């Protein structure tokens, strides 16, 4: 082996060492996210998401509280349909989120008000 091949081999070994270290860090990070999501009972697909707060969400939250106080026998589905069909509040949902009955939904603006 000549000197240039030895230098190249050393460079490749250093790069390989760096990549293994980076891979180990990413695996550790993924394991920590998985553990945290399991501890808090949330999906790992929800982990990187951030909440959107706006005036429409405040209005929806207010309606939700009033509905659950006044109509104690209504479940998630009936409240959802009331807000969508009667109050004309358009709810943007993910089918898997909606099927869980979770109130953690993103609300869009009223389609009739623009």
């Amino acid at each position: 082996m000549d000197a240039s091949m030895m230098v190249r081999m050393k460079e490749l070994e250093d790069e390989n060492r760096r990549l293994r270290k980076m891979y180990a860090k990413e695996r550790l990070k993924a394991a920590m996210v998985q553990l945290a999501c399991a501890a808090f009972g949330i999906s790992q697909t929800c982990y990187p998401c951030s909440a959107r707060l706006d005036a429409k969400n405040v209005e929806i939250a207010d309606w939700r509280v009033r509905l659950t106080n006044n109509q104690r026998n209504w479940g998630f589905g009936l409240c959802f349909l009331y807000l969508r069909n009667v109050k004309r509040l358009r709810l943007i949902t993910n089918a898997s989120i909606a099927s869980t009955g979770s109130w953690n939904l993103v609300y869009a603006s009223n389609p009739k008000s623009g």
Side-chain angles (χ1 to χ4, degrees), residues 11-25:
E11 289 172 354
L12 290 173
E13 287 173 353
D14 290 341
E15 184 178 359
N16 190 18
R17 188 176 306 111
R18 183 181 59 80
L19 291 172
R20 280 187 295 193
K21 187 176 180 180
M22 187 182 350
Y23 177 76
K25 284 182 180 180

Side-chain angles (χ1 to χ4, degrees), residues 47-111:
Y47 173 75
C49 298
S50 60
R52 295 183 197 171
L53 300 176
D54 60 15
K56 187 55 72 176
N57 286 348
V58 173
E59 179 187 354
I60 296 294
D62 183 51
W63 272 109
R64 181 176 50 117
V65 169
R66 284 192 273 166
L67 277 175
T68 54
N69 285 337
N70 295 331
Q71 305 293 340
R72 294 192 183 271
N73 59 339
W74 284 15
F76 170 80
L78 193 54
C79 291
F80 177 90
L81 291 173
Y82 179 82
L83 291 174
R84 186 184 68 188
N85 297 332
V86 176
K87 293 299 175 187
R88 297 288 184 207
L89 297 170
R90 189 167 53 95
L91 301 130
I92 301 172
T93 65
N94 176 321
S96 63
I97 293 173
S99 67
T100 64
S102 171
W103 279 104
N104 298 326
L105 305 173
V106 177
Y107 299 98
S109 62
N110 188 333

